[in-house]
Amino acid sequence: MAENGLGWREKVLSLDSMNPCIKKVEYAVRGPIVTRAVQLEKELKEGAKKPFTEVIRANIGDAHAMGQKPITFLRQVCALCMYPELLNDPSFPKDAKEKARKLLEGCGGQSIGAYSASPGIDCIRQHVASFIERRDGGIPSNPDNIFLSTGASDGIVTILKLLVSGEGHSRTGVLIPIPQYPLYSAALAELNAVQVNYYLDEENCWALDVGELRRALHEARRHCQPRALCLINPGNPTGQVQSRKCIEDVIHFAWEEHLFLLADEVYQDNIYAKGSQFHSFKKVLFEMGPKYSGTVELASFYSISKGFMGECGFRGGYMEVVNMDPGVQQQLSKLVSVRLCPPVTGQIVLDAVVNRPEPGDLSYQQFEQEKKAVLAALAEKARLTEETLNRAPGFRCNPVQGAMYAFPRIQLPPRAVEAAKAQGQAPDMFFCLRLLEETGICVVPGSGFGQKEGTFHFRMTILPPLEKLQILLQKLTQFHAKFLREYS
């Protein structure tokens, strides 16, 4: 009997009555490892004694949380738009003020506190189109095909919503790379779509093989209707940069098999390896000629959270659609209108990124210096991570050609695998939890991204400051050596 003499009533919303698709959603990047890391941080603050003095968060690509300094020009433009009284402050450069004034003119009531148009502020969409044209060597980009988004994730999920339909054997299947960024598996689970795995080739620097795509597609067609192919370039969590030849092969495959392409290109500024180069899917598509450029349907995505900017908290990004059916594009416009508009502050920062200072502008030199310094530091840390891990017994790490992560393969002895199973854990989860408890290092087990059966990995970001990264790598390799001794 409940208080006040009222009888027990069943909850309207319970685990049994809730949407069953939500219970299938998993997002390893913020999963149980991170929950435990937060608990450990609280325990340290409360004076608990641990074998370490701090938790090193190497689990997520959050540059500023890892100590990266903001790009001055981006913050100046944002500050001026947030508080227009600063337009009278002589300490702000003239070009930042001019940009802020133009952006405010595009806002309702000249305030970023007003809603924008649902696809984004019009002048920013125009600037995004110009940015894409410059990036792709003059290939036209239509602002009407640009939709600003709450980071890239929002755009990706929106396109997946349009694609998913059918029941049973006609249910939409979506090909995703394994290893993958868990946004994809989580979104497909929520939408009750069919996840179709294709495996990247670890022995060939995580390259994408069209033969593997064909295998995955043909097997999937026995039980679902594959309609879309997702690609992450540069790769997350695997750090590879796909060659132009590979992209051409994928586009031909999509044309041949009648698949919609989703190109996740949020790390396009993050290219480190000598000989590696970013090729946008759109540029390659149009250079392959009208047979492809007039027919293959493509949505590509960009974010201010990555690159040299690292402005994760502003939640800004865009998607560009190519060859989308006009009727579907109208439905897309309707769908984005339901969430009113992306955060206007994120749109402002995005504009400062795509419409950045040019030679001769007052802010150009400082902007370029800061941008180059961030990317050079990341390149050095990518090299250090790969070399350090490959020197240590029991690790194998492919070159970190781009993005912000290493995804090393680790040796786990059979006794460790058995101990993990006894605790109901994946072996790499068991390893990563032990690593966290004994060293304070927080990384994400490879099972959260997908991996070939019998292999074990983890994802770690290369974002910590160089001195802290060196400490992390030293502790990590020492712990693994101890772990091997314990379970051998």
Side-chain angles (χ1 to χ4, degrees):
M1 185 72 71
E3 285 187 54
N4 303 322
L6 297 176
W8 178 84
R9 287 182 62 180
E10 185 177 348
K11 295 285 188 185
V12 174
L13 181 62
S14 68
L15 281 173
D16 290 332
S17 66
M18 71 175 284
N19 182 342
C21 295
I22 302 301
K23 289 190 280 188
K24 297 177 187 175
V25 171
E26 293 186 7
Y27 189 63
V29 174
R30 290 179 180 259
I33 290 269
V34 184
T35 302
R36 180 57 184 147
V38 171
Q39 291 173 343
L40 287 170
E41 286 174 330
K42 288 180 181 176
E43 291 172 18
L44 285 170
K45 285 180 182 177
E46 291 165 359
K49 298 296 181 185
K50 301 288 179 186
F52 47 88
T53 56
E54 67 171 333
V55 172
I56 302 177
R57 298 278 201 99
N59 62 294
I60 195 165
D62 190 348
H64 291 191
M66 291 287 99
Q68 181 179 310
K69 300 300 182 190
I71 301 294
T72 302
F73 182 76
L74 307 185
R75 290 300 182 89
Q76 286 173 333
V77 172
C78 191
L80 289 161
C81 290
M82 288 280 285
Y83 189 58
E85 293 294 319
L86 293 174
L87 290 165
N88 300 316
D89 188 327
S91 65
F92 283 79
K94 182 182 176 183
D95 54 345
K97 289 180 177 179
E98 288 174 353
K99 174 176 282 295
R101 286 191 183 97
K102 289 177 181 175
L103 288 168
L104 288 169
E105 287 171 7
C107 297
Q110 297 201 5
S111 170
I112 64 169
Y115 288 128
S116 77
S118 295
I121 296 170
D122 188 58
C123 67
I124 300 179
R125 294 168 74 203
Q126 292 176 24
H127 292 156
V128 169
S130 298
F131 165 77
I132 294 170
E133 286 185 8
R134 290 193 303 273
R135 181 198 68 187
D136 292 344
I139 293 167
S141 177
N142 184 347
D144 291 339
N145 294 334
I146 306 293
F147 294 81
L148 306 192
S149 55
T150 307
S153 302
D154 173 45
I156 291 165
V157 173
T158 298
I159 295 296
L160 289 173
K161 284 179 180 178
L162 292 175
L163 282 159
V164 174
S165 66
E167 297 294 337
H169 278 63
S170 66
R171 190 65 176 165
T172 295
V174 179
L175 284 85
I176 66 170
I178 299 296
Q180 53 108 18
Y181 177 49
L183 164 71
Y184 292 94
S185 54
L188 294 175
E190 182 180 350
L191 295 169
N192 201 26
V194 180
Q195 176 179 320
V196 179
N197 297 337
Y198 67 88
Y199 289 87
L200 301 176
D201 184 1
E202 184 173 12
E203 307 304 318
N204 191 22
C205 203
W206 299 112
L208 193 163
D209 175 56
V210 169
E212 168 62 10
L213 284 180
R214 205 172 300 282
R215 177 207 62 78
L217 180 73
H218 289 170
E219 286 184 12
R221 280 182 171 154
R222 298 174 189 166
H223 59 88
C224 69
Q225 181 62 48
R227 301 176 65 203
L229 168 59
C230 298
L231 308 109
I232 309 173
N233 183 46
N236 174 12
T238 43
Q240 85 285 9
V241 179
Q242 300 294 2
S243 68
R244 181 190 171 94
K245 174 67 166 57
C246 172
I247 294 171
E248 288 177 353
D249 291 345
V250 169
I251 289 170
H252 176 75
F253 175 78
W255 174 84
E256 189 176 50
E257 300 291 350
H258 206 216
L259 295 172
F260 189 109
L261 285 176
L262 289 84
D264 181 339
E265 298 176 334
V266 302
Y267 296 100
Q268 61 189 258
D269 294 302
N270 301 102
I271 309 293
Y272 316 124
K274 188 176 181 181
S276 292
Q277 182 181 350
F278 171 73
H279 302 278
S280 81
F281 267 81
K282 184 188 174 188
K283 183 174 190 285
V284 176
L285 174 65
F286 275 76
E287 289 177 346
M288 288 175 70
K291 172 181 172 181
Y292 301 97
S293 63
T295 58
V296 175
E297 296 155 78
L298 168 70
S300 55
F301 308 92
Y302 184 80
S303 171
I304 61 172
S305 300
K306 309 305 176 186
F308 58 91
M309 306 81 70
E311 294 284 9
C312 303
F314 280 101
R315 309 307 300 131
Y318 73 74
M319 60 178 167
E320 181 185 29
V321 296
V322 175
N323 291 324
M324 180 172 274
D325 179 277
V328 174
Q329 194 155 330
Q330 286 181 355
Q331 295 296 316
L332 172 58
S333 297
K334 178 183 74 175
L335 185 57
V336 300
S337 72
V338 173
R339 49 92 157 125
L340 297 175
C341 69
V344 175
T345 47
Q347 296 185 53
I348 295 297
V349 176
L350 175 65
D351 188 84
V353 172
V354 299
N355 190 25
R356 59 191 66 168
E358 297 183 350
D361 291 346
L362 197 59
S363 300
Y364 175 76
Q365 188 172 357
Q366 182 181 11
F367 179 89
E368 284 295 306
Q369 285 175 345
E370 292 176 352
K371 171 190 160 191
K372 288 176 181 176
V374 168
L375 294 175
L378 286 170
E380 168 61 16
K381 290 185 283 189
R383 182 197 60 77
L384 172 71
T385 301
E386 177 203 341
E387 290 181 358
T388 303
L389 292 177
N390 282 330
R391 280 198 303 267
F395 285 92
R396 193 178 78 183
C397 185
N398 273 320
V400 183
Q401 297 174 328
M404 297 177 171
Y405 315 98
F407 196 68
R409 185 168 174 173
I410 51 171
Q411 177 189 348
L412 297 181
R415 283 184 58 220
V417 174
E418 290 167 11
K421 288 178 180 174
Q423 296 189 25
Q425 295 174 352
D428 48 10
M429 172 67 84
F430 178 74
F431 172 83
C432 290
L433 279 169
R434 284 281 306 271
L435 175 70
L436 176 63
E437 295 288 348
E438 296 187 29
T439 68
I441 295 170
C442 180
V443 297
V444 189
S447 49
F449 302 88
Q451 55 196 350
K452 280 193 173 179
E453 188 71 28
T455 67
F456 307 109
H457 303 77
F458 61 82
R459 188 190 81 164
M460 60 166 283
T461 178
I462 61 170
L463 289 172
L466 184 60
E467 305 76 23
K468 189 170 284 190
L469 182 63
Q470 289 170 328
I471 293 168
L472 183 158
L473 291 168
Q474 182 183 27
K475 284 186 171 185
L476 172 62
T477 52
Q478 288 173 348
F479 170 80
H480 185 254
K482 172 178 168 288
F483 187 88
L484 288 177
R485 289 194 300 273
E486 181 180 348
Y487 286 99
S488 292

